[in-house]
Amino acid sequence: MADGAATFVLIHGGGSTSWDWHLVEPVLRELGHEVIAVDLPIEDAANGVSEYADAVVAACEGRPNLAVVAHSWGGLVAPIVCSRVESELLVLVTAMVPAPGEPPNDWWAATGFSDLQFPEVEDAFYNGVPAALAEECTARGREQTGERDGEPSPLKAWPEVPTRFLLCRDDLFFPPLFMRGVVRDRLGFAPDEIDGGHMIALARPRELAERLHRYWAELPR
């Protein structure tokens, strides 16, 4: 591992897999970083966000210079990870932003998402993603039981880790206007923005990887 490089820890969204990041991973490695993409144990009804976070912590045990990156539902897991393992950076990519102690099921109503009116579109997730990739991602999807999503999150406070939020301007699932408000209210700053839809890691993997690399390079040393 080169001096000054990160270990990027990539957390997928709800009902999905680490495959979501398979186009981002080689670009990050090309840029000199190590990469760990974790499959959350979402199919076991005995697990909740705390156990999901434990799985991520176990996967990156002993690795240096951790940069934790989460997409979509994975945003509920990432800050718990950063509260349990020493991390240098936390990046939320069009992700849910939890409040301390908030049950995952409560997020939708608490943020106002449940009140949104959506235009009729064929697929709010995959706009901008090549059809073959969208089909494979859907085929690889896993059942996320959500049995324990009504329980309070173990997150006690936002971790003291430099945090960035990357909003996707073409996102039809988490619309930009809505997410700008969530980030302002819950994190206290304005998000960064990038072109692309909700599944940015499949639609624009190089642009995403280069943005993650830039966030790491901009950290004070």
Side-chain angles (χ1 to χ4, degrees):
M1 184 171 180
D3 290 343
T7 300
F8 277 99
V9 183
L10 308 178
I11 303 174
H12 62 76
S16 202
T17 72
S18 61
W19 181 88
D20 290 1
W21 298 102
H22 80 285
L23 299 177
V24 174
E25 292 181 61
V27 184
L28 287 173
R29 293 193 173 99
E30 173 190 315
L31 293 168
H33 304 290
E34 298 290 336
V35 183
I36 301 169
V38 183
D39 282 308
L40 302 178
I42 59 175
E43 295 165 298
D44 188 340
N47 294 331
V49 287
S50 186
E51 288 74 24
Y52 301 164
D54 285 342
V56 178
V57 170
C60 61
E61 183 177 3
R63 301 294 189 98
N65 303 336
L66 299 182
V68 178
V69 182
H71 174 248
S72 197
W73 204 94
L76 302 183
V77 178
I80 304 172
V81 172
C82 290
S83 72
R84 295 179 178 177
V85 66
E86 185 176 353
S87 307
E88 304 296 326
L89 177 66
L90 170 56
V91 183
L92 302 174
V93 179
T94 190
M96 296 162 74
V97 182
E102 180 178 68
N105 282 346
D106 289 4
W107 186 91
W108 310 96
T111 59
F113 180 90
S114 300
D115 299 325
L116 294 179
Q117 300 294 318
F118 290 95
E120 291 188 13
V121 294
E122 183 175 348
D123 198 317
F125 271 73
Y126 293 112
N127 61 306
V129 176
L133 283 176
E135 290 172 8
E136 184 166 1
C137 188
T138 299
R140 289 174 176 270
R142 296 180 294 152
E143 180 183 1
Q144 183 165 336
T145 65
E147 293 276 339
R148 296 179 54 196
D149 285 355
E151 299 177 7
S153 169
L155 186 69
K156 302 302 182 186
W158 199 263
E160 294 185 5
V161 176
T163 301
R164 306 287 183 269
F165 191 101
L166 187 57
L167 177 150
C168 296
R169 296 189 188 100
D170 307 305
D171 197 334
L172 300 178
F173 184 66
F174 285 158
L177 183 61
F178 164 72
M179 289 308 297
R180 290 183 191 109
V182 171
V183 175
R184 180 189 64 245
D185 294 344
R186 297 202 161 197
L187 294 177
F189 58 78
D192 296 325
E193 302 192 10
I194 191 171
D195 290 338
H198 192 69
M199 298 300 288
I200 184 72
L202 296 177
R204 295 173 177 265
R206 177 163 291 275
E207 292 96 323
L208 176 56
E210 289 176 348
R211 183 69 67 99
L212 297 176
H213 170 72
R214 192 177 89 192
Y215 286 150
W216 179 259
E218 289 173 347
L219 289 176
R221 302 290 181 216

